Amino acid sequence: MKKKRSESIRTQLLGPLLILLVLQAAIIAGTVLFGGVSTKLKKNEINILTENTNNTKQGFEKETIHHWVMMLNNSGFMSDEINEILKKEKQEPEAISADYDLNRLIVDKIMEKSIEMLHLSNATGVFLVLNGPAAVKSPAEMRAGFYIRNSNPGGYINDNSSLLMERGLPSLAEKYNIPLDSFWELGFLDAGAKGTADFYQKPLAAAFKNRGEKKDTMRYAYLSSPFRLSPKDMQIITYSVPIILEDGTVVGVYGLEMTVNQLEQILGQEQVSGSFNECWFLGIREKGTNTIVPVAQSGYLYNQYFNESARIDYKDNLKENISSLKSLEGTKWYASVSKLETPGTEGLYGEHEWVIAGMARQKDLLSFYNALRRMLLSSMLVPLIFSLLGAYIIGKIVTEPIRRLVEELRNKSGSKSLSLERVHVKEIDELTETIEMLNRDVDRASFKMSGILEHANVLVGVFEYEEEKNRVFCSRSLYEMLGWEKIKEPYCYIKIEQFLPLLNQAFGEIELKGDRILKRLEGPEGIKWIEIILDESKKGTVLGICTDVTINVEEKEKLERERNLDLLTEIYNRRAFREKAEAAIEGIGDEVAAVIMWDLDNLKYINDTYGHDEGDRYIVLFANCLKKFLEKGGIISRYSGDEFVVLIKGSEKEEIRRTVRDFMKHLRVFTLKMESGYQFPIRVSGGLSWYPDDARDFDALFNYADFAMYMVKHSVKGVVKEFDISEFKHNSYMLTGSEELNRMLDKKEVRFAFQPIATREGIIYGYELLMRPEFSNIKGISEVLNLTRAQAKLPQMEILTWIAGLRAAKAEVEAGQLGKDEKLFINSIASVCLTKEGIKELEEHYGELLSRVVIELTEGEPASQTFMQCKKDMARQWGGLTAIDDFGTGYNSEAILLHMRPDIVKMDMSLIRRIHEDPNRQIILKNLMGFAEKNSIRVLAEGVETAEELEFLMSFGVDFFQGYYIARPQMEIRPLDPYIVKKMQEFSGKA
């Protein structure tokens, strides 16, 4: 039989395809010949980035540099203010370098206008540094001044609630109602971390060196690099100028601050939105280089590509008039870099300059250009379609042999020695031979790849589950990973009924469903975690990839531990403790449990005296001691800065009490050893609540233990106190009322009632101003004072009483209800005296009322001779009077009467009650009246509630009367009842 001659596919397809390809080449050539628009379009799109960068730069300069320059140009008032103070104090400018009192006057004078300037600017801070000492006992190198930071830049708040003082005198912070920051310091130290003092040292040194004049102030302006005012503070930059007096003396530096976060906000507001994604950053570049150190940035793309870049290097593309760079992962970018104009700093402070850079990915910036190119290229699709159509029609003739070849390949898939039939078409027969060769090459490559993976210690096992063919492809590495028998070949095929038992033997009952399965294996080498990734995209086939992820799982467990532990003490944090404690409480059966709150008593003293590093050591030492509770199955946690909490279970209360007592003895062994050699003992107070006797839920138990600890902290300290429900009901306001009290003291607003004090003839002598706070958790003024005393805020309560009381009295004067001669009796806390600033404020706002004031010394606090003399001096200075309140109770006894010699003594209502029937009370009254007559002291009876008491007191010669019988306290002043006036006149006539 004659052998059939093989025919070439090329012979069958060459003619038609040749004609089609000629047409295609003609169309492409025409497109190219008529091109040229794309090049111009590319330049236009690059210019857009440059224009947007220039616009963003101009807007940013307007909101920052130009705004600062305008503000600092108007700071010339400071030199005038300082000259005025020097003239007033008869001092020379040189005195600033040594006289801290003079520095305090200057700082006080400039601070108010500086605060106003801060509110009107976008700056986040303002500062003044004088070339002189901060305080009398401050270090020699510490300079005076202030540094105030605004947490609400651009917004004006009258009460300065958004301000914090970073540097400066506490007295000035109190004067302007500015709280001290946690990083606060008294003044400015020249020595410190590198670069933290440059913001005032450099302009000061430049002004000294060049002997500038007042008009040259902006010439020495200095824009700082980013730094931190304190090690844990946020990053900031400053713009500062020296303060030069008229005679050329340089006395300090004045400037504005802006945080890096604020710079990023302004940069984000000023950026220009284009037709592509852009990002921006502000940075510092060394002159003559192409390296920028980023300072602030805007745009999500920057955070995605450059967030971890400490420096950005770029290249200038002179041909395209743009710069180019690459991000860390290789993305190509265009960048337009523009220098900021910073007046007054050229050539004085080194070779650095500030720049703004706008960046866009090249694929985004040239998106339209690339789209146009794709459109041009798509024009080639038309001839290509013709070519494909022709190829399809022509190729249909010769595809049948190829289809048969494919069918044969499918049936013989998986065979290691592949042998195919020939179809007598030259190219297809050559393809057949090539496939057979490739099959052999794949076998060899598979073997090599398995060897490479094995030697590279990359353990990846693969299987392919083919249900229709009832077979599973398995790699040798899968056998090794799952501990099956070893095979010699790189892979093998096994039946499904053989594969599934092996899989279940390794993982237990498992279904090949889903896309990801994680299994835990235990073997001779320890615990192993295997992740199986399944691909079911091909119907009837499951492709599985097994990977050893033991390292990843262990790392995740490590992160989970770090999430649950306090980083300093390595015990549970608040969140983790709450979860563990709630779970433990739910699982308690017949046992009892205790929640114990601990508070380190001396932590604040150690932090203030020895520094926070020593305080951290103190915290860690106590946390290690707490671990003794772990021996009893307890759960321990650091709940806040100096507060710890323990949950411990036991069969009975006495067992837990014994554990707590043993722990307190255990603490005595441990001390914090200081560098000086002093050993600081651990001192801790605790509060304990019981489950289930006190409560059954965690929140209640925690609050009760916290209350018990709070009561210990404000009593004996150093012990553990169990929760007492009766004490809680009586004193719970000590916890719940703190916020209300602080709000009242901060706002200095409270209502006052007026209770008349009458003479013997029924004429109003004056009014006692009685505070009437409106609280939901505090009942009565006694609880208010107890809570104020517990929180050490008696000075704030004293100034509140004076300011709010006189404000209420002034309102009654303006309403025409208060006469010109009536006295104003104001209760004054015996252990507190007004500051000079407080007295000055009263004199400025209520000077016309101070001569009518009667200062009542309350009985709730012991008074020293110093405080009594202070109040007598106040009354004498104003032309007012002094009085002893509630004589016969508290601390107001005969001793204070002898020491103070008041103008008026008020007998407490406990002595007045039914005095007409009690001989003992009458003896006390008789003795008091005799002493008062000899010492020119007038007596006021307080708490008169019946006509009989009033008549008897008048018969003894008492001068003034106050009580419910005369008149009750009223929020508005009203005249006395005519009936009462008539009765008083009758009794006075009889007496």
Side-chain angles (χ1 to χ4, degrees):
M1 183 176 178
K2 186 178 179 181
K3 186 177 180 181
K4 187 176 179 181
R5 183 172 176 269
S6 297
E7 295 179 355
S8 171
I9 295 178
R10 181 176 60 185
T11 303
Q12 298 181 26
L13 298 179
L14 184 59
L17 286 178
L18 183 60
I19 298 172
L20 292 174
L21 289 175
V22 169
L23 292 174
Q24 180 178 347
I27 295 173
I28 293 173
T31 302
V32 173
L33 289 175
F34 291 101
V37 177
S38 60
T39 302
K40 186 179 295 184
L41 178 62
K42 181 178 180 180
K43 291 182 179 180
N44 289 341
E45 292 194 349
I46 289 175
N47 289 337
I48 290 174
L49 177 62
T50 303
E51 292 174 3
N52 287 346
T53 302
N54 289 332
N55 292 337
T56 301
K57 177 194 119 176
Q58 292 172 6
F60 182 82
E61 287 179 342
K62 179 181 177 182
E63 290 298 320
T64 55
I65 304 299
H66 296 171
H67 194 67
W68 290 351
V69 170
M70 181 184 69
M71 298 293 286
L72 294 177
N73 270 331
N74 295 329
S75 65
F77 76 94
M78 287 182 291
S79 60
D80 298 332
E81 296 284 1
I82 294 173
N83 281 325
E84 184 177 334
I85 293 174
L86 291 172
K87 183 177 180 181
K88 182 178 178 181
E89 299 295 324
K90 297 180 180 180
Q91 296 275 12
E92 293 299 324
E94 291 76 15
I96 294 176
S97 62
D99 192 336
Y100 62 88
D101 282 330
L102 181 60
N103 288 340
R104 185 186 184 283
L105 292 174
I106 293 172
V107 171
D108 189 7
K109 187 71 174 179
I110 293 175
M111 184 180 291
E112 182 175 1
K113 192 162 184 179
S114 297
I115 293 173
E116 182 71 17
M117 181 183 295
L118 178 59
H119 280 307
L120 295 175
S121 70
N122 281 330
T124 59
V126 64
F127 57 85
L128 167 70
V129 184
L130 293 176
N131 189 26
V136 62
K137 293 183 179 180
S138 64
E141 67 274 13
M142 180 175 282
R143 301 176 187 263
F146 63 82
Y147 198 119
I148 300 172
R149 182 166 291 157
N150 187 4
S151 61
N152 184 30
Y156 191 84
I157 303 177
N158 290 327
D159 58 1
N160 293 341
S161 62
S162 65
L163 303 185
L164 286 173
M165 178 168 282
E166 307 291 334
R167 302 286 188 271
L169 296 173
S171 60
L172 294 179
E174 181 178 359
K175 175 179 179 180
Y176 292 98
N177 295 322
I178 302 174
L180 303 180
D181 198 356
S182 57
F183 307 128
W184 168 86
E185 294 182 10
L186 183 64
F188 298 84
L189 283 172
D190 290 345
K194 183 178 180 181
T196 58
D198 287 352
F199 71 99
Y200 64 86
Q201 286 183 341
K202 285 195 173 183
L204 197 66
F208 277 127
K209 180 180 178 181
N210 296 280
R211 298 181 181 178
E213 299 179 2
K214 180 180 178 182
K215 61 183 178 62
D216 296 327
T217 296
M218 290 306 299
R219 178 187 170 196
Y220 305 110
Y222 173 64
L223 180 62
S224 75
S225 300
F227 68 99
R228 300 179 189 273
L229 190 61
S230 299
K232 296 183 180 180
D233 199 2
M234 64 188 74
Q235 274 201 324
I236 61 172
I237 67 169
T238 60
Y239 198 65
S240 51
V241 295
I243 303 173
I244 306 175
L245 302 184
E246 289 293 341
D247 62 354
T249 303
V250 181
V251 297
V253 173
Y254 185 79
L256 298 169
E257 168 214 286
M258 187 169 285
T259 65
V260 171
N261 288 339
Q262 179 71 356
L263 286 173
E264 292 178 344
Q265 291 180 14
I266 295 175
L267 187 61
Q269 294 169 0
E270 296 300 329
Q271 73 179 56
V272 178
S273 298
S275 60
F276 43 81
N277 291 325
E278 301 168 341
C279 61
W280 314 82
F281 72 91
L282 175 70
I284 301 175
R285 176 180 67 189
E286 187 172 352
K287 293 180 181 178
T289 69
N290 287 353
T291 299
I292 303 174
V293 177
V295 174
Q297 62 276 340
S298 174
Y300 77 96
L301 285 177
Y302 187 94
N303 292 330
Q304 182 178 353
Y305 289 91
F306 298 95
N307 196 37
E308 296 181 359
S309 299
R311 50 186 286 173
I312 295 177
D313 297 313
Y314 64 92
K315 295 180 180 179
D316 292 325
N317 189 338
L318 299 179
K319 182 178 178 181
E320 296 179 344
N321 195 26
I322 197 72
S323 300
S324 61
L325 56 97
K326 284 186 179 181
S327 53
L328 294 177
E329 86 295 344
T331 302
K332 294 181 179 181
W333 294 73
Y334 279 130
S336 176
V337 182
S338 183
K339 175 187 172 185
L340 287 181
E341 301 300 328
T342 53
T345 62
E346 293 294 328
L348 287 178
Y349 304 110
E351 295 300 322
H352 294 87
E353 55 192 5
W354 285 75
V355 296
I356 280 184
M359 299 190 300
R361 291 178 294 192
Q362 291 187 12
K363 67 177 182 178
D364 295 333
L365 185 64
L366 303 179
S367 59
F368 185 73
Y369 165 77
N370 292 328
L372 181 61
R373 293 182 61 188
R374 288 192 297 269
M375 182 183 68
L376 293 174
L377 292 175
S378 66
S379 63
M380 290 184 270
L381 289 177
V382 175
L384 183 59
I385 290 173
F386 284 107
S387 299
L388 291 175
L389 183 60
Y392 173 78
I393 296 172
I394 298 172
K396 185 72 174 176
I397 301 171
V398 293
T399 56
E400 185 61 24
I402 299 175
R403 189 191 64 79
R404 291 199 304 268
L405 176 61
V406 170
E407 186 67 24
E408 185 180 8
L409 282 172
R410 183 180 295 112
N411 293 332
K412 294 184 177 181
S413 175
S415 300
K416 294 184 179 179
S417 298
L418 186 64
S419 178
L420 303 173
E421 294 182 3
R422 301 299 186 264
V423 295
H424 306 294
V425 177
K426 182 177 180 181
E427 285 79 2
I428 297 178
D429 288 344
E430 290 177 355
L431 176 63
T432 301
E433 294 175 1
T434 304
I435 291 173
E436 292 174 347
M437 292 176 61
L438 287 174
N439 181 64
R440 291 190 291 270
D441 291 342
V442 168
D443 284 341
R444 288 193 295 268
S446 175
F447 183 81
K448 290 179 180 179
M449 183 57 66
S450 298
I452 292 172
L453 291 176
E454 290 173 2
H455 287 88
N457 291 324
V458 179
L459 198 58
V460 177
V462 180
F463 67 86
E464 187 178 37
Y465 182 100
E466 298 178 280
E467 187 173 3
E468 292 181 356
K469 298 181 179 180
N470 191 28
R471 67 178 185 178
V472 180
F473 167 88
C474 298
S475 67
R476 183 168 61 190
S477 56
L478 180 69
Y479 275 70
E480 295 176 357
M481 181 183 299
L482 301 182
W484 298 347
E485 62 181 20
K486 294 184 179 180
I487 59 176
K488 296 181 179 180
E489 298 297 329
Y491 62 90
C492 69
Y493 285 89
I494 61 175
K495 298 293 184 180
I496 291 179
E497 54 267 23
Q498 294 175 313
F499 175 75
L500 291 179
L502 290 173
L503 199 65
N504 292 332
Q505 177 185 348
F507 297 117
E509 292 296 327
I510 183 173
E511 294 186 18
L512 296 179
K513 293 182 179 180
D515 60 354
R516 193 178 295 268
I517 302 172
L518 184 65
K519 287 293 183 178
R520 181 175 182 267
L521 301 181
E522 293 187 12
E525 299 178 356
I527 296 174
K528 182 189 298 183
W529 289 90
I530 304 298
E531 182 181 52
I532 308 173
I533 300 176
L534 303 175
D535 181 3
E536 301 177 89
S537 58
K538 184 178 179 181
K539 187 176 180 180
T541 301
V542 178
L543 176 64
I545 302 174
C546 298
T547 309
D548 188 337
V549 293
T550 305
I551 295 177
N552 295 339
V553 172
E554 291 176 349
E555 184 66 24
K556 184 178 179 181
E557 291 176 348
K558 179 183 177 183
L559 292 174
E560 185 71 17
R561 289 195 301 272
E562 292 176 352
R563 185 174 70 93
N564 290 336
L565 298 182
D566 176 64
L567 296 180
L568 179 63
T569 61
E570 296 185 350
I571 61 178
Y572 282 135
N573 56 27
R574 178 185 305 196
R575 184 198 62 78
F577 176 80
R578 187 179 187 89
E579 291 179 358
K580 300 292 183 182
E582 288 178 346
I585 290 174
E586 289 180 2
I588 294 178
D590 297 332
E591 296 178 301
V592 297
V595 173
I596 312 170
M597 283 291 297
W598 304 94
D599 186 277
L600 286 172
D601 292 333
N602 298 316
L603 180 61
K604 185 177 185 304
Y605 172 78
I606 294 175
N607 283 336
D608 294 344
T609 307
Y610 300 100
H612 287 272
D613 289 341
E614 294 299 320
D616 288 346
R617 289 182 56 229
Y618 189 55
I619 291 172
V620 171
L621 179 61
F622 178 68
N624 290 334
C625 293
L626 272 184
K627 292 178 182 177
K628 187 173 179 62
F629 283 104
L630 299 178
E631 301 172 2
K632 301 291 184 178
I635 305 172
I636 63 175
S637 166
R638 183 186 180 197
Y639 218 73
S640 64
D642 58 352
E643 291 183 343
F644 296 78
V645 61
V646 173
L647 173 68
I648 186 170
K649 296 186 291 185
S651 57
E652 58 182 4
K653 288 185 177 180
E654 190 54 39
E655 178 186 348
I656 296 177
R657 290 189 180 107
R658 186 164 52 250
T659 301
V660 174
R661 288 195 297 268
D662 292 343
F663 172 72
M664 295 298 286
K665 294 178 182 177
H666 177 68
L667 280 183
R668 299 173 189 169
V669 181
F670 296 91
T671 58
L672 180 66
K673 297 179 181 179
M674 303 296 182
E675 291 184 0
S676 61
Y678 178 71
Q679 296 188 3
F680 208 97
I682 298 179
R683 183 175 175 86
V684 64
S685 300
L688 182 149
S689 61
W690 292 106
Y691 172 94
D693 291 355
D694 294 328
R696 289 181 175 270
D697 64 281
F698 173 77
D699 288 330
L701 288 169
F702 178 84
N703 290 333
Y704 289 165
D706 189 30
F707 173 79
M709 182 195 70
Y710 186 88
M711 298 307 296
V712 170
K713 288 286 291 182
H714 294 87
S715 56
V716 294
K717 288 189 179 182
V719 299
V720 179
K721 178 180 176 62
E722 295 185 18
F723 173 75
D724 185 344
I725 188 65
S726 60
E727 185 179 42
F728 178 77
K729 291 178 180 179
H730 183 68
N731 293 317
S732 60
Y733 70 90
M734 299 288 280
L735 288 176
T736 58
S738 298
E739 184 176 348
E740 291 181 304
L741 175 66
N742 293 334
R743 191 184 306 116
M744 181 184 76
L745 294 176
D746 291 341
K747 293 184 177 180
K748 289 187 173 62
E749 293 182 359
V750 65
R751 301 177 66 194
F752 274 82
F754 297 83
Q755 185 172 23
I757 297 172
T759 64
R760 297 170 62 87
E761 293 77 21
I763 299 172
I764 293 179
Y765 176 73
Y767 297 91
E768 182 174 3
L769 277 62
L770 301 172
M771 184 182 292
R772 291 294 183 264
E774 297 178 352
F775 292 146
S776 58
N777 295 310
I778 309 176
K779 300 176 182 178
I781 192 64
S782 61
E783 289 189 358
V784 173
L785 290 175
N786 287 340
L787 184 56
T788 305
R789 187 180 302 109
Q791 296 189 0
K793 293 184 178 179
L794 290 175
Q796 292 93 316
M797 179 61 72
E798 176 76 1
I799 188 63
L800 169 64
T801 303
W802 281 94
I803 291 177
L806 290 174
R807 184 193 302 137
K810 187 175 182 179
E812 292 297 319
V813 171
E814 294 173 351
Q817 299 299 322
L818 184 62
K820 297 181 179 180
D821 300 321
E822 287 91 342
K823 301 293 185 182
L824 301 173
F825 286 69
I826 296 180
N827 291 287
S828 179
I829 300 172
S831 61
V832 176
C833 197
L834 291 175
T835 63
K836 293 180 180 180
E837 291 79 6
I839 295 173
K840 184 178 180 181
E841 182 178 357
L842 293 180
E843 292 174 348
E844 289 178 355
H845 294 89
Y846 309 106
E848 69 278 6
L849 297 176
L850 296 180
S851 61
R852 302 164 61 176
V853 167
V854 179
I855 303 176
E856 289 192 22
L857 203 66
T858 60
E859 86 290 351
E861 297 289 327
S864 66
Q865 189 68 32
T866 302
F867 290 137
M868 286 190 293
Q869 188 61 45
C870 173
K871 296 178 190 298
K872 291 178 68 175
D873 292 342
M874 285 167 51
R876 183 171 59 253
Q877 179 181 343
W878 296 337
L881 303 175
T882 58
I884 293 177
D885 190 21
D886 297 330
F887 177 78
T889 62
Y891 292 98
N892 287 351
S893 60
E894 288 83 354
I896 194 171
L897 192 64
L898 291 171
H899 290 297
M900 187 172 180
R901 296 295 178 93
D903 300 292
I904 299 172
V905 59
K906 297 179 68 173
M907 286 188 67
D908 185 69
M909 62 185 304
S910 61
L911 297 178
I912 302 302
R913 190 73 68 245
R914 305 192 67 80
I915 191 171
H916 58 289
E917 298 176 352
D918 189 342
N920 292 326
R921 287 182 170 86
Q922 294 170 14
I923 292 171
I924 295 174
L925 175 61
K926 181 178 179 181
N927 293 335
L928 177 61
M929 293 300 297
F931 180 85
E933 182 179 357
K934 293 179 181 179
N935 292 275
S936 301
I937 298 174
R938 289 180 285 183
V939 178
L940 190 157
E942 192 173 20
V944 179
E945 295 189 352
T946 65
E948 292 80 8
E949 292 171 353
L950 177 63
E951 184 176 8
F952 182 83
L953 292 167
M954 281 195 175
S955 67
F956 257 78
V958 174
D959 301 284
F960 306 117
F961 306 91
Q962 178 183 355
Y964 281 6
Y965 183 77
I966 310 298
R968 291 176 177 268
Q970 301 289 340
M971 301 309 297
E972 297 178 354
I973 292 177
R974 299 179 184 176
L976 291 181
D977 188 339
Y979 173 80
I980 300 300
V981 174
K982 183 178 179 181
K983 278 289 185 182
M984 295 184 73
Q985 291 174 350
E986 290 178 2
F987 294 155
S988 178
K990 292 180 181 179

